[in-house]
Amino acid sequence: GQQVMQIPQYQHVQEGEDFTTYCNSSTTLSNIQWYKQRPGGHPVFLIQLVKSGEVKKQKRLTFQFGEAKKNSSLHITATQTTDVGTYFCAGHNAGNMLTFGGGTRLMVKP
Amino acid sequence: ETGVTQTPRHLVMGMTNKKSLKCEQHLGHNAMYWYKQSAKKPLELMFVYNFKEQTENNSVPSRFSPECPNSSHLFLHLHTLQPEDSALYLCASSQVTYLNTEAFFGQGTRLTVV
């Protein structure tokens, strides 16, 4: 079946440093979604990318969808303590199944 | 408030008990999901219902039994669980269309099996 993998599993950064998480799918995706889960909370949708090579920005967050539609990345510029949480990517395949990656847990030292 | 409500928020049960988790969505979505979240597998899909029909059963043990009486309600019936079933159980809903919109999660039920 479809597998979605994320790296790294954990990342400690100093406040102000940049952060990137990478997502790779074993199959071609119709779209990729990103979610953020704060400690003690539930996953909350951030964004969806649909087109090959698409890049979208939300303030300090930059999302990319690979040309082959099998990988994606989330980059945070100048992290803040409010960025703490686990970031999940999730992909839809042709069968409309939404499969989540294992998540990257971001910790920010003030 | 995401429009997806789960009850109870916390549950402690013995291995011989029978309990049920409830999920209700007020978003008019046509698909509902159960996910298990633990340290070992952060977001593990358990069951999917599209238009009240179960479309996926991700090799879940029979001690977990889902029920979807209508498109707004989803239950997870639990019986003879094991301590390793302790986890956060998340319900989600989405509107399954060509555009594949996002999933909305409930706040989860923290389950402890003793």
Side-chain angles (χ1 to χ4, degrees), chain A residues 62-80:
Chain A
T62 302
F63 304 84
Q64 290 188 319
F65 199 10
E67 294 288 343
K69 300 184 78 172
K70 294 180 74 173
N71 58 69
S72 180
S73 66
L74 158 59
H75 179 82
I76 302 178
T77 304
T79 55
Q80 300 174 359

Side-chain angles (χ1 to χ4, degrees), chain B:
Chain B
E1 187 60 50
T2 64
V4 180
T5 305
Q6 287 186 245
T7 55
R9 294 291 306 278
H10 301 272
L11 178 62
V12 179
M13 60 185 289
M15 289 189 282
T16 58
N17 290 160
K18 288 185 180 180
K19 296 286 184 183
S20 295
L21 309 185
K22 180 182 176 183
C23 177
E24 185 174 0
Q25 59 100 357
H26 308 279
L27 301 168
H29 288 165
N30 57 13
M32 296 186 77
Y33 313 80
W34 279 117
Y35 285 89
K36 176 183 178 183
Q37 188 170 50
S38 63
K40 285 186 179 179
K41 292 189 179 182
L43 268 177
E44 183 182 7
L45 179 64
M46 300 176 72
F47 301 103
V48 181
Y49 278 82
N50 269 358
F51 295 100
K52 300 188 299 175
E53 298 296 322
Q54 184 175 312
T55 57
E56 286 291 325
N57 174 344
N58 220 18
S59 303
V60 180
S62 59
R63 58 186 184 269
F64 295 92
S65 174
E67 179 190 359
C68 189
N70 55 62
S71 57
S72 299
H73 294 85
L74 184 64
F75 295 90
L76 188 62
H77 303 300
L78 316 171
H79 64 98
T80 58
L81 295 192
Q82 303 298 311
E84 60 263 29
D85 296 321
S86 299
L88 180 68
Y89 289 83
L90 289 160
C91 172
S93 72
S94 70
Q95 184 66 16
V96 177
T97 68
Y98 174 74
L99 295 175
N100 293 326
T101 56
E102 69 268 25
F104 291 77
F105 284 83
Q107 293 182 312
T109 295
R110 174 68 63 182
L111 173 68
T112 304
V113 181
V114 297

Side-chain angles (χ1 to χ4, degrees), chain A residues 21 32-35 46-49 53-65 72-76 87-88:
Chain A
T21 172
I32 192 91
Q33 297 177 355
W34 285 91
Y35 293 76
L46 294 177
I47 206 162
Q48 174 174 286
L49 304 170
E54 188 171 10
V55 177
K56 285 189 177 181
K57 291 192 175 186
Q58 286 181 351
K59 296 183 181 177
R60 294 178 294 103
L61 277 60
T62 302
F63 304 84
Q64 290 188 319
F65 199 10
S72 180
S73 66
L74 158 59
H75 179 82
I76 302 178
Y87 292 85
F88 292 96

Side-chain angles (χ1 to χ4, degrees), chain A:
Chain A
Q2 179 188 7
Q3 291 187 10
V4 178
M5 290 148 288
Q6 268 185 268
I7 55 169
Q9 206 173 352
Y10 304 95
Q11 183 84 59
H12 286 88
V13 299
Q14 194 72 40
E15 189 173 22
E17 291 181 340
D18 291 356
F19 159 77
T20 304
T21 172
Y22 300 90
C23 179
N24 287 285
S25 170
S26 58
T27 60
T28 302
L29 302 169
S30 58
N31 64 35
I32 192 91
Q33 297 177 355
W34 285 91
Y35 293 76
K36 177 183 178 181
Q37 185 174 17
R38 293 181 187 275
H42 55 276
V44 175
F45 174 80
L46 294 177
I47 206 162
Q48 174 174 286
L49 304 170
V50 179
K51 300 177 185 174
S52 168
E54 188 171 10
V55 177
K56 285 189 177 181
K57 291 192 175 186
Q58 286 181 351
K59 296 183 181 177
R60 294 178 294 103
L61 277 60
T62 302
F63 304 84
Q64 290 188 319
F65 199 10
E67 294 288 343
K69 300 184 78 172
K70 294 180 74 173
N71 58 69
S72 180
S73 66
L74 158 59
H75 179 82
I76 302 178
T77 304
T79 55
Q80 300 174 359
T81 54
T82 52
D83 295 325
V84 163
T86 302
Y87 292 85
F88 292 96
C89 64
H92 274 107
N93 62 12
N96 264 345
M97 285 306 306
L98 184 61
T99 302
F100 282 83
T104 296
R105 185 177 169 194
L106 172 64
M107 288 154 280
V108 179
K109 291 180 250 183

